[in-house]
Amino acid sequence: KRMLVGLTGGIGCGKTTVSRMLKENGQFKIIDADEVARLVVKPGEAAYKKIISTFGREVLLESGEVDRKKLGDVIFNHPEKRKQLNAITHPEIRTVMIKQYLYYLITGEKVVILDAPLLFEAGLAKFMSYIVVVKV
């Protein structure tokens, strides 16, 4: 039987430590939603291009990468802009996570961990065989 296990928890709860421990022993493959979120906004990616067209070049660092702090400042007090950003990034994040999961399935992995802080909020809980919530 193959399983997709959700790993979630609030900020500072130790979820990253648990994820690292599961990965280090080599027994489980981890799909890290935060890591994927950083990948999809790299220069050249579809979400990157949409972010520039939506929010302008002022949300970029001199290097051309997305300035996560500036972008965060833009969306923090503007729910409509946050919705725009989520509409750009969430489909891309989901696509990459699905591709990673399918890769692990076809390479014979029995258990894959989805490390996702917003597992419930993103509507991903329904796809999990089990859910592990890390709490302080």
Side-chain angles (χ1 to χ4, degrees):
K1 182 180 174 188
R2 300 202 173 165
M3 292 188 290
L4 180 59
V5 178
L7 177 65
T8 192
I11 296 169
C13 69
K15 182 181 58 58
T16 302
T17 302
V18 172
S19 179
R20 192 177 314 116
M21 288 168 48
L22 293 168
K23 186 177 185 177
E24 283 175 358
N25 80 14
Q27 194 171 3
F28 301 108
K29 298 298 183 188
I30 309 287
I31 299 170
D32 184 331
D34 286 342
E35 185 179 299
V36 172
R38 287 188 290 276
L39 289 174
V40 301
V41 298
K42 288 211 173 277
E45 298 295 330
Y48 174 86
K49 294 170 186 170
K50 291 176 188 172
I51 287 169
I52 292 172
S53 67
T54 304
F55 298 100
R57 300 192 69 79
E58 56 271 10
V59 298
L60 300 180
L61 295 165
E62 284 184 27
S63 66
E65 293 182 286
V66 172
D67 185 331
R68 295 171 67 85
K69 183 181 180 335
K70 279 185 191 170
L71 188 55
D73 290 345
V74 169
I75 67 165
F76 187 73
N77 290 313
H78 300 94
E80 193 55 44
K81 290 183 187 277
R82 183 178 306 118
K83 283 181 186 172
Q84 285 179 299
L85 180 63
N86 289 344
I88 292 168
T89 58
H90 287 188
E92 300 291 332
I93 292 166
R94 272 193 228 90
T95 298
V96 171
M97 291 190 312
I98 289 168
K99 286 179 180 178
Q100 287 180 353
Y101 182 57
L102 289 174
Y103 172 79
Y104 290 140
L105 284 179
I106 63 173
T107 57
E109 295 299 328
K110 299 282 188 242
V111 178
V112 177
I113 312 289
L114 175 59
D115 179 346
L118 301 176
L119 185 73
F120 292 99
E121 296 84 344
L124 298 172
K126 62 187 170 206
F127 301 110
M128 303 300 120
S129 303
Y130 297 96
I131 297 172
V132 177
V133 179
V134 180
K135 289 180 73 174
V136 177

